[in-house]
């Protein structure tokens, strides 16, 4: 009897749980796409209710039998009774409860039956509409039929389609393609509110410079050695950031400083990309990228913007609003961020998970790109046709959306990083404590020292050599015994070593890291190797696949003339010496001269905290890649009524180049301002970067659109027998031998890089702020 009672009770619980699960799983009206499923389940729901009522009735009959047995037995009497009578007293109460439940179930059954009948009626109306869905033939939506065909065959390939209500019916395809994506026209029978003109957006909040970096350290989070490294660096430079913010705030009094919502996704630190950096932080691995990211985070935070920081794919998906699935569907809501700073790994992850939304929002992305990406490698169609094959290109972004560690090419934006500034007392102390016979070798990995015995032997004749090579148990054999190796040093101790040393010497690798600037800022002379021939993707494995040519020809071969071109070109002697290490006499003479040369600590303004804040502020306030100006129509598409307006450019007084004409009327909204524009014609063997640099200027690719006109050739006295519009990263240009002129057909290919001896290029140049090559004089 106890067994029967238990079975009955648990059967009741099971039925109530099952019915409750069915009701919770099938809530009417959850989605306009679920009505069909609910209606089809109506008979099943009624059946469950009937079965539940029948089982409750059977349970009550068995309980009644059990009660009669209790009254007719004397089982509970006797000394040997195992179960006291009071154990069965609750049975009567249970009977009453079961009767009440049965009555409630009966009431529920009646109400559910009414709901299901109404659902069936509504479902029939909807089903009639759904059966009538046909693919519309609207010339405004030429891709609609093809997209519907694709959905028929592939809608189950990604769960995200079902998430948006696709269920395999024709109407669900059309609803999705018209309301979630935009390939089909809206269906007339869909309930949609009439679009009301939205009010103008409220004025943007103004960013306020921050005085405390504690909140930033919380945003960065924990759990990775790389994050700990970045937080230590931010704490170490905190006072310099805050002093720089006060100085910049004084400069910007009365100027617009809009507050932006910014997502920072450091893709190379995610587990999905391998996160090869975190395990190497404590082993002397490359830290340049983490130095730059730490400084970017500090600058954006100090400038007063709203930040979100992610180092995991799951967090990225959550912040973006990625629907569940494999990444083929758009985001579930508009992107909540004005800007996204990421790297190539993060860019790939965003493209993989944002669906069509990636194309819509990619103009908001800023890619932190160490070596840069030039237009010839960025434009997918052009790179494929011309053979510019790389591991990282083909993104079709505006080239200025790529932000580099050094100002390699004006085609990209120069992001940079910072080096520690010294006050006057520290500078004097360093000069007093310099050891003229002390050298520190640039390189924390033993492989860098391999094969350098000859140089080290010459250097050892004049100077005491110090190294910072990491090793765990045994000193690396590549490091000679006469070298005093300190092992891997914390950043502060490494700075102290540089403050004593006279010379910081590089052996060709790593390329373009932050350490040489730190050494120069601490009063060292930097000695580096000149590469002869220059290193390129043709003769050096490291550069294969890099999406840039630097100062290359039309064949776009990546060439680097020294270990640190920025130090060579922008700093130079006496702080930087570049010599041929294959010439022992030149190498030895350079060391003797350096020992006799007195230098002061030097740090370019653009690598100070204030310089970086100034640069990033200007980018955020002025760079807008979501409203790119269009090119004028090509000659083949012009009609007599569509003649170009007169050129706003005028010949300079000395007739060597063009400038913006003061009489051109109202200047267009452009950044940099057009008043800084100068248009020059290159020599056949020079890039536009070199052409501008020789005149003390910087090539400015945003100005190409003002030069990409036939009349500009005439203003420069260039005779053109023919003029063609073509895709070529060297255009606009003229082939003088045959008097053929070429204009650019694809705006994404405007490029300061590259040359061909066949052409003389039209080059847009601009001035720049002292110590800040990224900004023109009036760009702040």
């Amino acid at each position: 009897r106890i067994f029967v009672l238990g079975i009955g009770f648990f059967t009741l619980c099971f039925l109530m749980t099952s019915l409750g699960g069915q009701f919770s799983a099938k809530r009417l009206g959850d989605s306009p796409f679920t009505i069909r499923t609910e209606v089809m389940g109506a008979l099943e729901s009624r059946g469950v209710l009937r079965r539940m009522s029948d089982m409750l009735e059977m349970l009550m009959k068995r309980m009644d039998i059990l009660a009669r047995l209790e009254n007719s037995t004397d089982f509970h009497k006797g000394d040997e009774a195992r179960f006291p009578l009071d154990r069965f007293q609750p049975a009567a109460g249970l009977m009453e409860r079961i009767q009440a439940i049965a009555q409630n179930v009966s009431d529920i059954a009646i109400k559910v039956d009414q709901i299901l009948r109404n659902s069936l009626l509504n479902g029939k109306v909807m089903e009639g509409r759904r059966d009538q869905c046909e693919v519309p033939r609207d010339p405004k939506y030429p891709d609609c039929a093809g997209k519907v065909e694709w959905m028929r065959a592939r809608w189950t390939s990604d769960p995200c389609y079902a998430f948006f209500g696709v269920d395999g019916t024709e109407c669900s395809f059309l609803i999705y393609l018209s309301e979630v994506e935009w390939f089909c026209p809206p269906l007339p029978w869909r309930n949609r509110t009439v679009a009301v003109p939205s009010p103008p957006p409220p004025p943007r909040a103004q960013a306020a410079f921050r005085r405390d970096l504690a909140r930033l350290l919380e945003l960065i989070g924990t759990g990775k050695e790389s994050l700990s490294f970045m937080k230590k660096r931010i704490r170490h430079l905190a006072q310099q950031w805050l002093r720089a913010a006060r100085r910049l705030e004084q400069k910007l009094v009365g100027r617009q400083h809009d507050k932006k919502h910014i997502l920072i996704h450091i893709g190379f630190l995610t587990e999905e990309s391998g996160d090869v950096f975190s395990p190497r932080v404590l082993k002397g691995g490359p830290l340049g990228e983490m130095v730059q990211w730490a400084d970017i985070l500090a600058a954006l935070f100090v400038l007063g913007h709203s930040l979100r920081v992610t180092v995991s794919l799951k967090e990225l998906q959550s912040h973006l609003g990625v629907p569940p699935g494999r990444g083929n569907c758009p985001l579930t809501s508009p992107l909540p961020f004005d800007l996204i700073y990421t790297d190539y790994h993060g860019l790939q992850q965003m493209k993989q998970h944002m669906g069509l939304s990636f194309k819509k929002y990619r103009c908001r992305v800023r890619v932190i790109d160490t070596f840069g990406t030039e237009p010839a490698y960025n434009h997918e169609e052009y790179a494929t046709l011309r053979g510019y094959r790389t591991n990282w290109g083909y993104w079709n972004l505006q080239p200025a959306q790529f932000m580099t560690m050094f100002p390699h090419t004006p085609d990209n934006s120069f992001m940079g990083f910072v080096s520690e500034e010294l006050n006057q007392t520290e500078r004097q102390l360093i000069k007093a404590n310099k050891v003229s016979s002390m050298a520190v070798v640039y390189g924390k990995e033993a492989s860098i020292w391999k094969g350098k015995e000859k140089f080290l032997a010459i250097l050892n004749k004049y100077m005491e050599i110090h190294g910072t090579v990491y090793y765990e148990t045994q000193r690396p054999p590549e490091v000679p015994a006469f070298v005093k190796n300190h092992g891997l040093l914390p950043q502060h101790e490494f700075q102290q070593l540089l403050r004593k040393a006279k010379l910081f010497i590089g052996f060709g690798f790593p390329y373009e890291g932050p350490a040489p600037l730190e050494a120069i800022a601490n009063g060292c002379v930097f000695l580096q190797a000149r590469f002869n021939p220059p290193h390129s993707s043709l003769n050096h494995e490291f550069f294969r696949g890099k999406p840039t040519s630097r100062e290359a020809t039309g064949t776009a071969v990546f060439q680097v003339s020294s270990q640190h071109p920025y130090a060579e070109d922008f700093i130079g002697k006496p702080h930087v010496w570049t010599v041929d290490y294959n010439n022992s006499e030149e190498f030895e003479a350079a060391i003797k001269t350096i020992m006799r040369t007195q230098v002061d600590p030097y740090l370019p303004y653009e690598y100070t905290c204030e310089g970086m804040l100034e640069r990033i502020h200007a980018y955020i306030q002025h760079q807008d890649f979501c409203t790119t100006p269009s090119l004028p129509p090509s000659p083949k598409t012009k009609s007599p009524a569509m003649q170009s307006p007169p050129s706003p450019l005028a010949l300079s007084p000395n007739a060597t180049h063009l400038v913006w004409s003061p009489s051109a009327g109202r200047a267009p909204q452009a950044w940099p301002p057009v008043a800084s524009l100068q248009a020059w014609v290159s020599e056949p063997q020079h890039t536009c970067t070199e052409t501008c640099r020789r005149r003390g200027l910087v090539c400015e690719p945003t100005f190409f659109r003002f030069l990409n006109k036939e009349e500009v050739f005439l203003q420069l006295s260039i005779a053109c027998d023919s003029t063609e519009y073509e895709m070529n990263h060297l255009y606009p240009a003229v082939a003088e031998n045959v008097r053929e002129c070429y204009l650019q057909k694809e705006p994404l290919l405007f490029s300061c890089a590259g040359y061909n001896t066949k052409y003389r290029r039209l080059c847009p140049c601009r001035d720049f702020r002292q110590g800040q090559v990224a900004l023109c004089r009036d760009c702040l």
Side-chain angles (χ1 to χ4, degrees):
R1 286 176 297 177
I2 295 301
F3 177 76
V4 172
L5 178 63
I7 291 296
F9 180 74
F10 283 109
T11 301
L12 173 62
C13 294
F14 173 76
L15 283 171
M16 294 182 68
T17 304
S18 300
L19 186 61
Q22 182 168 352
F23 286 148
S24 63
K26 294 187 176 183
R27 290 170 295 183
L28 295 176
D30 271 358
S31 165
F33 304 101
T34 58
I35 295 174
R36 179 185 178 90
T37 304
E38 303 302 334
V39 172
M40 294 299 291
L43 297 178
E44 179 185 353
S45 299
R46 288 198 189 94
V48 170
L49 289 169
R50 290 196 191 99
R51 287 195 298 273
M52 182 175 178
S53 182
D54 293 343
M55 292 189 72
L56 284 169
E57 185 177 354
M58 182 181 66
L59 182 60
M60 290 174 65
K61 288 179 179 178
R62 294 198 176 180
M63 290 291 291
D64 186 58
I65 294 171
L66 182 62
R68 287 199 299 271
L69 287 173
E70 287 295 332
N71 292 331
S72 62
T73 183
D74 56 352
F75 173 77
H76 60 281
K77 298 178 182 178
D79 296 336
E80 72 280 5
R82 296 183 182 179
F83 303 103
L85 178 63
D86 57 0
R87 294 280 183 91
F88 294 94
Q89 292 301 321
L94 181 61
M95 284 286 292
E96 293 176 359
R97 290 176 189 172
I98 292 175
Q99 288 176 342
I101 292 172
Q103 183 61 47
N104 288 337
V105 169
S106 178
D107 295 341
I108 292 172
I110 294 171
K111 292 179 181 179
V112 169
D113 190 65
Q114 293 173 350
I115 293 172
L116 291 174
R117 286 178 184 276
N118 292 334
S119 298
L120 273 172
L121 292 175
N122 294 334
K124 287 179 180 179
V125 176
M126 181 62 70
E127 191 65 35
R129 290 177 177 175
R130 297 167 71 89
D131 290 342
Q132 295 172 10
C133 282
E134 295 181 359
V135 179
R137 306 296 178 183
D138 190 332
K140 296 179 182 178
Y141 300 89
D143 299 323
C144 184
K147 291 293 181 179
V148 171
E149 190 67 31
W150 188 94
M151 291 291 287
R152 288 193 193 110
R154 301 290 303 279
W155 75 273
T156 58
S157 63
D158 193 323
C160 71
Y161 297 116
F163 172 82
F164 282 109
V166 177
D167 59 7
T169 62
E170 203 80 354
C171 282
S172 71
F173 299 154
L174 291 172
I175 292 170
Y176 174 84
L177 292 171
S178 61
E179 298 180 13
V180 180
E181 297 184 5
W182 47 87
F183 293 105
C184 295
L187 299 176
W189 53 267
R190 290 285 293 169
N191 291 328
R192 297 188 305 124
T193 57
V194 179
V196 178
S198 57
R204 271 195 174 274
Q206 293 298 290
F209 286 89
R210 291 191 173 98
R211 308 297 185 205
D212 186 358
L213 297 181
R215 174 58 183 152
L216 174 61
L217 301 179
E218 294 177 11
L219 286 172
I220 294 174
T222 58
K224 292 178 180 286
E225 291 293 344
S226 48
L227 298 180
S228 299
F229 172 87
M230 288 192 279
K231 289 164 74 171
K232 286 179 183 178
R233 176 174 175 83
I234 291 171
R235 278 193 291 264
H236 179 68
L237 294 174
Q239 293 306 311
Q240 295 202 19
W241 282 115
L242 299 179
R243 285 195 296 268
R246 286 192 291 270
R247 292 194 294 267
L248 181 59
E249 187 175 19
Q250 293 172 358
K251 285 185 186 179
L252 298 176
V253 170
R255 303 193 191 187
Q256 193 80 353
H257 190 190
D258 291 340
K259 184 175 183 177
K260 304 290 177 111
H261 296 279
I262 301 175
L263 174 66
I264 298 100
H265 176 61
I266 310 177
F268 74 84
L269 292 183
T270 61
E271 298 301 328
E272 289 77 10
S273 67
D275 188 12
V276 297
F277 285 88
S278 292
R280 303 176 67 186
V281 169
L282 300 180
K283 298 182 180 180
L287 304 179
E289 288 86 350
M290 281 178 282
V291 164
Q292 187 182 33
W293 274 108
D295 295 345
I296 291 170
L297 286 164
L300 293 173
F301 186 81
V302 167
L303 286 170
H305 299 291
S306 174
L307 307 185
R308 290 290 181 272
V309 183
T310 70
V311 292
S312 78
L313 184 57
K314 186 176 181 180
E315 289 177 326
L316 174 68
Q317 293 172 321
S318 174
H319 286 309
L320 294 179
V322 175
R326 300 188 179 93
N328 290 304
C329 298
L331 302 182
T332 57
S333 58
L335 186 69
F337 301 103
D338 302 303
L339 294 170
I340 299 177
Y341 286 83
T342 189
D343 51 26
Y344 263 122
H345 294 283
L347 193 64
Q348 183 63 49
Q349 291 168 351
M350 289 168 57
K351 182 179 181 181
Q352 182 179 353
H353 293 278
M354 289 177 67
L356 290 174
S357 295
F358 178 78
K359 185 176 182 180
K360 179 179 181 180
Y361 293 120
R362 64 184 176 183
C363 60
R364 304 188 191 183
V365 174
R366 305 294 184 264
V367 185
I368 307 306
D369 178 11
T370 301
F371 287 97
T373 299
E374 291 177 1
Y377 301 83
N378 169 62
H379 192 279
E380 184 175 13
E381 179 185 356
Y382 184 75
T384 303
L385 291 173
R386 298 298 183 96
Y388 297 114
R389 299 180 181 88
T390 67
N391 298 331
W392 303 103
Y394 313 148
W395 286 97
N396 293 321
L397 301 178
Q398 293 292 330
Q401 289 178 254
F402 298 99
M403 313 192 96
T404 59
M405 185 172 281
F406 293 95
H408 306 304
T409 168
D411 293 324
N412 302 148
S413 299
F414 164 44
M415 170 60 75
F417 57 94
V418 304
S419 288
E420 188 171 356
E421 272 187 280
L422 305 176
N423 59 39
Q424 194 58 36
T425 302
E426 291 170 325
R427 292 164 66 91
Q428 293 299 327
L429 191 62
I430 286 175
K431 290 178 67 176
N433 292 332
K434 277 291 178 185
V435 179
S436 61
S437 60
M438 179 178 173
V440 175
V441 174
Y442 181 19
K444 293 177 285 187
E445 296 184 12
S447 59
I448 295 172
W449 296 65
K450 189 175 182 179
K452 307 300 188 298
E453 295 83 1
K454 182 179 179 180
F455 311 132
L456 290 168
I458 296 174
L459 182 61
N460 188 48
K461 289 166 52 178
Y462 302 94
M463 307 183 89
E464 181 181 80
I465 305 174
H466 294 251
T468 57
V469 181
Y470 171 81
Y471 64 94
E472 293 183 353
T473 56
Q474 189 174 358
R475 181 185 174 105
E478 294 87 350
V479 182
F482 55 76
V483 173
K484 185 177 181 180
N485 186 36
H486 298 262
L488 183 63
L489 293 176
Q491 188 69 11
H492 177 69
E493 293 183 29
F494 181 64
Q495 293 274 357
Q496 296 303 316
L497 190 65
L498 292 177
R499 293 184 178 188
K500 292 181 182 178
K502 175 73 172 183
L503 177 67
F504 189 62
I505 181 170
F507 286 143
F509 191 83
Y511 299 102
E512 300 183 305
L517 264 65
E518 294 177 354
I520 296 167
N522 282 287
C524 293
V525 173
F526 177 51
L527 177 63
Q528 65 171 344
R530 178 184 299 113
F531 299 151
N532 188 18
H535 288 182
S536 72
S537 59
L538 299 180
N539 61 19
H540 202 283
E541 183 65 30
F542 179 82
F543 293 109
R544 289 195 176 96
K546 298 292 188 295
T548 176
S549 63
R550 295 287 172 84
E551 303 298 336
T553 66
T555 57
V557 177
F558 182 96
Q559 298 188 57
V560 176
S561 59
S562 65
Q563 182 175 351
H564 208 291
Y566 175 86
E568 179 184 4
D569 296 334
F570 287 84
I571 301 177
K573 292 181 179 179
H575 301 280
V576 179
W577 289 62
T578 306
V579 302
D580 183 1
Y581 279 23
N582 293 320
N583 186 329
S584 299
E585 293 179 359
E586 182 183 356
F587 178 78
E588 190 167 359
I591 292 173
K592 292 179 181 179
T593 306
I594 289 169
M595 292 180 69
R596 298 192 301 267
T597 303
Q598 295 295 321
V599 296
D600 292 330
Y602 173 72
L603 179 61
Y605 173 76
E606 55 200 358
Y607 284 96
T608 65
C609 290
E610 184 178 353
M612 187 167 183
L613 285 175
E614 182 181 271
R615 189 165 58 249
I616 294 182
H617 163 76
Y619 289 156
I620 290 176
Q621 299 305 317
H622 298 293
Q623 282 185 336
D624 181 5
F625 303 114
C626 297
T627 55
T628 305
S630 59
L631 286 175
S634 65
K636 294 180 181 179
T637 61
K638 283 183 182 178
S639 67
M642 295 175 60
Q643 296 299 319
S644 297
S647 172
L649 303 177
L651 204 59
S652 64
N654 58 7
T656 57
H657 62 282
L658 298 179
V659 296
W660 194 264
S661 174
S663 61
R666 183 179 179 182
Q669 289 293 328
W671 191 84
V674 292
S676 63
L677 167 63
Q678 296 185 27
W680 292 82
V681 182
S682 76
E683 296 300 321
Q685 70 275 19
H686 288 166
T687 66
C688 282
T689 302
E690 179 64 19
T691 298
C692 297
R693 184 183 297 166
R694 285 171 174 258
R695 290 158 178 85
L697 303 168
V698 175
C699 182
E700 180 50 63
T702 60
F703 289 156
F704 268 114
R705 61 191 174 104
F706 301 118
L707 275 58
N708 199 53
K709 302 176 181 178
E710 291 180 72
E711 52 266 31
V712 174
F713 289 111
L714 297 176
Q715 289 180 286
L716 290 167
S717 301
I718 297 173
C720 302
D721 289 343
S722 65
T723 303
E724 298 290 338
Y725 271 73
E726 293 183 10
M727 283 200 313
N728 192 308
H729 71 286
L730 302 179
Y731 296 166
V734 56
E736 287 191 321
N737 293 338
V738 292
R739 299 176 62 167
E740 293 177 349
C741 296
Y742 300 93
L743 297 176
Q744 182 60 257
K745 184 179 179 181
E746 172 51 69
L748 288 181
L749 286 174
F750 282 138
S751 177
C752 293
Y755 71 87
N756 190 308
T757 54
K758 175 182 175 181
Y759 300 119
R760 296 183 69 194
R761 301 188 58 189
L762 297 188
C763 298
C765 308
R766 63 161 170 82
D767 56 34
F768 59 92
R769 296 170 68 86
Q770 184 65 34
Q772 185 75 284
V773 70
L775 304 179
C776 70
R777 290 171 189 161
D778 297 324
C779 278
L780 190 58

